[in-house]
Amino acid sequence: MAGFRSPSSGLRTPRPAAFGADPTGERMARIRRSPHFRDGVFQNPGGTARTRPSGSAREFAKIYFDRESRLRRAPRGPIPVHATTLADLARPPATGLRLTWMGHSSVLAEIDGRRVLFDPVWGERCSPFPFAGPKRLHPAPVPLAALGPVDVVVISHDHYDHLDMPTIKALAGTDTLFAVPLGVGAHLEHWGVPADRLRELDWHESTRVAGLTLTATPARHFCGRGLRNTQHTLWASWVVAGEEHRVYHSGDTGYFDGFRDIGAAHGPFDATMIQLGAYSRFWPDIHMTPAEGLRAHLDLQGGAPAGVLLPIHWGTFNLAPHAWAEPGEWTKDAAGEVGQAVAFPRPGEPFEPAGMFPVEAWWRAVSGPIEHPWRRPRGAEGVAGTSRGDLDLAGER
């Protein structure tokens, strides 16, 4: 393993392999040539995004470690994982497009005869250490080896809940290709992925894999895995287009006007996979609330309900102060009000956007009551004078 120098002792100490590797050489030279890299760091669309929690650390700690808040952030019983079998995934989708949400942001997309695996995380914790960090709230629905051949693995950015070293090492032993944002390839090479199996893209660049066109598109987020966050790896959302179908995966992002541009250039989409969990008023620039996630989907579809929205980035890891099932409940409400179709599969449950897809609020069986604050009569306690939008964006009130 590489080492780093301890600032206090001057001694070199082991660097965990999960930290990955920093870009160097021609990779770093390419990063410096990127129009999105300025003043030594990658820049977000629309200017600087706050990547550290805002507000009072004391206030955040009070909310996060409050006993009642902790109870709300976990299910009351086992999450109902769908018993997907190898035979389920081996059968071609009748409509040509099938999505299987594996939990958090991991999705297997079967599109026009090809198979794309987004942000695969099969590890028990999203952490560099096996003994600490957020632990899975449900098991991986399908063993990684049972997925069968995958044409391309797509990574949105290098945070631990999207780029999992054990999962990548397992996939490195297959012949799949990897499409990653600029700079992220350094981590994968460090973990054994050959350079010739990497497709490393800047925003607005595309690559062809097995008849699919994959395009890295902007997102509003940040990066980093080690003790120093150098901002030398890019974050991205992704468009995947086949001969008949096209899908969008948001990765992690705050809401920004660029969704309209992405939709105009690459849409409309048969399905979007939109991050709308782990939000908080302490970090409003880098994650979306359910209301913002719905707005992003509509922007991508030209401003009107179309296609199917698959909510991602919720239900698997406890990463924010909001109630565990709140993203599902609030998304169901918000989408229902505008007539947008939303799929709510249990983890591991395949569905076809053009066919029958799951809409049941399955989380209610293992969740405490979820507040619907905008539906209270005006003047009710804690709501008087507050608009629905304010409450949607608060995350935790």
Side-chain angles (χ1 to χ4, degrees), residues 122-396:
W122 260 251
E124 279 299 302
R125 297 182 186 272
C126 50
S127 165
F129 308 109
F131 53 85
K135 190 175 182 180
R136 299 184 71 95
L137 299 175
H138 65 79
V142 184
L144 192 60
L147 287 183
V150 172
D151 293 287
V152 58
V153 174
V154 176
I155 303 297
S156 65
H157 64 297
D158 69 0
H159 285 159
Y160 288 96
D161 56 324
H162 297 260
L163 180 60
D164 179 55
M165 182 186 72
T167 303
I168 296 300
K169 283 191 166 186
L171 291 166
T174 69
D175 60 359
T176 187
L177 299 178
F178 294 82
V180 303
L182 192 54
V184 174
H187 298 312
L188 273 65
E189 283 195 58
H190 187 63
W191 299 331
V193 177
D196 62 2
R197 283 169 49 198
L198 290 172
R199 304 291 184 267
E200 201 161 344
L201 306 184
D202 201 348
W203 290 342
H204 310 298
E205 292 182 342
S206 298
T207 187
R208 292 278 291 176
V209 174
L212 301 175
T213 300
L214 292 83
T215 305
T217 46
R220 187 170 173 81
H221 201 58
F222 68 113
C223 64
R225 293 180 71 85
L227 298 179
R228 296 181 302 113
N229 187 353
T230 60
Q231 299 292 288
H232 286 173
T233 63
L234 188 60
W235 46 96
S237 57
W238 288 87
V239 171
V240 177
E243 291 184 3
E244 301 292 335
H245 298 89
R246 57 185 58 224
V247 297
Y248 171 85
H249 188 285
S250 71
D252 272 5
T253 181
Y255 179 81
F256 69 113
D257 291 342
F259 292 114
R260 288 191 288 269
D261 298 330
I262 295 170
H266 302 284
F269 299 98
D270 298 282
T272 69
M273 296 155 269
I274 302 288
Q275 174 271 312
L276 44 69
Y279 47 84
S280 171
R281 61 185 170 88
F282 291 97
W283 48 83
D285 294 347
I286 56 173
H287 282 168
M288 292 191 290
T289 67
E292 291 172 315
L294 175 62
R295 191 186 316 163
H297 171 88
L298 296 176
D299 286 353
L300 289 160
Q301 302 288 46
V308 175
L309 164 62
L310 171 62
I312 60 172
H313 205 262
W314 75 286
T316 303
F317 297 106
N318 179 351
L319 301 175
H322 62 67
W324 165 74
E326 188 176 276
E329 192 72 28
W330 285 14
T331 301
K332 193 171 184 66
D333 266 4
E337 290 184 358
V338 301
Q340 173 58 52
V342 182
F344 291 108
R346 293 162 176 80
E349 183 176 6
F351 72 93
E352 300 190 30
M356 297 291 292
F357 53 86
V359 297
E360 178 192 354
W362 53 265
W363 56 85
R364 291 176 183 167
V366 290
S367 169
I370 303 296
E371 297 180 18
H372 297 231
W374 54 87
R375 291 189 170 181
R376 298 178 188 170
R378 181 169 294 279
E381 182 181 356
V383 182
T386 306
S387 71
R388 171 178 175 170
D390 292 337
L391 289 162
D392 274 354
L393 299 177
E396 67 296 318

Side-chain angles (χ1 to χ4, degrees), residues 37-61:
F37 190 80
R38 190 173 65 253
D39 299 328
V41 296
F42 279 109
Q43 303 290 324
N44 268 300
T48 302
R50 290 168 290 176
T51 60
R52 294 182 181 275
S54 60
S56 162
R58 181 177 181 181
E59 181 187 6
F60 175 75

Side-chain angles (χ1 to χ4, degrees), residues 23 73 236:
R73 296 200 307 272

